[in-house]
Every structure is written in C-alpha cells, then in structure tokens.
Amino acid sequence: MLEDESRAPGERIAAFAVNLREVLMRHPAAVPSILGAAFSGPVALRVGESLLAALPDPRAGYTVTVYVLGSIALEAAEVRGPGPVPPEAERIAARRVAFDIEPEAFPRTHAAADAIAAYISTGQFRWGLERVLAGLAAEK
C-alpha cells in the first residue's frame, strides 16, 4: 500500500493509515501493548522506509506516525470490555450522551458536543490526517 507509486504519496499514506486504524480497532485491547513498545524491527523499518520514500524529510514521517498512532491509541482507550467493538455510530452516540453538559458552565464544549463526540470517527481521523499531510506538503 505504501509502496504503490502509481498513487500520490498522500493517498498512499492515507490508505495505509486508515487500514492500520481499522485493523487495530478490531482488537483495541491489544493497542496499548502494541503501542507501548519501541517501534523497531523489520516491519517498522519497512514502514519507515516507505514513509521516507513518500515524505523524504524524516521529521514528516515521524509527524504522521505520531498522529496516526496517537489517534488510534485515544480511540482504543475508549472501548471498554472484551468482545467486538461496537459500530462507530453507536460509539459516537455514547460519546454524545457523555457530553450532555450544562451550557452555562461549559458553553464552548456544549456548542461543540457533536464534533467532540465524533472525534473517534473515521471522518475525523481522515480530516486530521489530510490536514497533517497538507501542512507537511506546504513545507516543501
């Protein structure tokens, strides 16, 4: 996926990142163990090499890695209990209920509750990744 040079670098990275998120979110209980260890070894080197091919500045690849893995870690932390992960729409609805707060005490949070509830969505993940990649592309 990352090596597919028929696609633009940003497209390759986005496809890889979304796929990685999907795979890891099928097993959210494993995410802390996976992300709690050093990112090294043959697979990490291959991913790193592919990121360097797409984003030659090593700091750019690191930035993408931190965004992708950080987002996955935060999302996985919200999934409770064993068994399959509830559908995204159910998880967003549950988050929305949690943000049913006093508008007088927290007016900005109350106004942004729908967006905050969707932080764990595929759409939000892509939104953030697209902006990270656009910012890195603008640095050239």
Side-chain angles (χ1 to χ4, degrees), residues 94-140:
R95 281 179 56 89
R96 182 60 185 93
V97 169
F99 282 100
D100 189 17
I101 56 174
E102 297 178 40
E104 300 80 27
F106 304 98
R108 291 175 189 86
T109 304
H110 178 77
D114 289 336
I116 293 169
Y119 280 176
I120 59 167
S121 70
T122 302
Q124 172 63 42
F125 181 78
R126 285 182 162 281
W127 184 92
L129 183 59
E130 288 168 5
R131 277 143 187 88
V132 168
L133 291 170
L136 292 170
E139 285 290 314
K140 289 181 181 178

Side-chain angles (χ1 to χ4, degrees), residues 47-105:
V47 170
E49 188 71 16
S50 296
L51 281 172
L52 285 169
L55 301 166
D57 185 334
R59 297 171 300 176
Y62 178 76
T63 300
V64 169
T65 300
V66 168
Y67 173 78
V68 169
L69 297 181
S71 295
I72 292 168
L74 289 172
E75 185 174 353
E78 292 201 12
V79 178
R80 304 280 192 267
V85 175
E88 188 173 278
E90 287 180 27
R91 292 185 294 123
I92 292 170
R95 281 179 56 89
R96 182 60 185 93
V97 169
F99 282 100
D100 189 17
I101 56 174
E102 297 178 40
E104 300 80 27

Side-chain angles (χ1 to χ4, degrees), residues 11-78:
E11 291 176 18
R12 296 191 318 247
I13 292 167
F16 176 79
V18 169
N19 185 317
L20 178 63
R21 177 179 171 268
E22 289 172 1
V23 169
L24 291 179
M25 286 309 299
R26 281 189 221 127
H27 310 283
V31 170
S33 297
I34 293 167
L35 300 183
F39 195 60
S40 59
V43 173
L45 286 170
R46 184 173 304 260
V47 170
E49 188 71 16
S50 296
L51 281 172
L52 285 169
L55 301 166
D57 185 334
R59 297 171 300 176
Y62 178 76
T63 300
V64 169
T65 300
V66 168
Y67 173 78
V68 169
L69 297 181
S71 295
I72 292 168
L74 289 172
E75 185 174 353
E78 292 201 12

